Amino acid sequence: GGDEFVVYLKRCGECKQVIERLKETIEKPIILDGYSLKVGMSYGKVKLSEFNSIDEAFKAADAMMYESKKRKKKLNA
């Protein structure tokens, strides 16, 4: 299981860079009691203006995130 969260960027001409910086930060190894722990991040990104409701946008982003997770699993298999 994992935790999910939403990042809302109002005007984002550089969304890709913001996502990459967030991913880099989240995926940095954490040293705890001498053990190195790593957290992964998968994401889905959408433009709210392309959907009729926020629920539709969330569902689309969620589906994209799960596709990203599937691709990662195939690469790491």
Side-chain angles (χ1 to χ4, degrees):
D3 293 317
E4 295 180 12
F5 60 92
V6 173
V7 175
Y8 174 75
L9 303 169
K10 190 169 183 172
R11 285 182 225 114
C12 188
E14 300 175 358
C15 287
K16 187 170 182 143
Q17 292 91 336
V18 171
I19 291 168
E20 286 304 315
R21 284 181 37 212
L22 183 60
K23 190 171 181 336
E24 271 180 32
T25 302
I26 288 172
E27 292 186 342
K28 279 186 184 174
I30 301 164
I31 307 300
L32 184 64
D33 292 333
Y35 294 96
S36 179
L37 307 171
K38 188 170 181 201
V39 175
M41 181 180 128
S42 298
Y43 64 91
K45 109 182 150 165
V46 297
K47 287 178 108 176
L48 290 178
S49 62
E50 295 176 359
F51 296 89
N52 293 322
S53 71
I54 193 135
D55 287 336
E56 283 182 16
F58 281 162
K59 285 178 186 174
D62 200 46
M64 292 172 99
M65 179 193 64
Y66 281 107
E67 281 300 314
S68 174
K69 285 183 179 195
K70 283 182 192 176
R71 283 192 303 274
K72 275 186 178 181
K73 284 184 181 181
K74 285 181 182 178
L75 289 174
N76 293 324

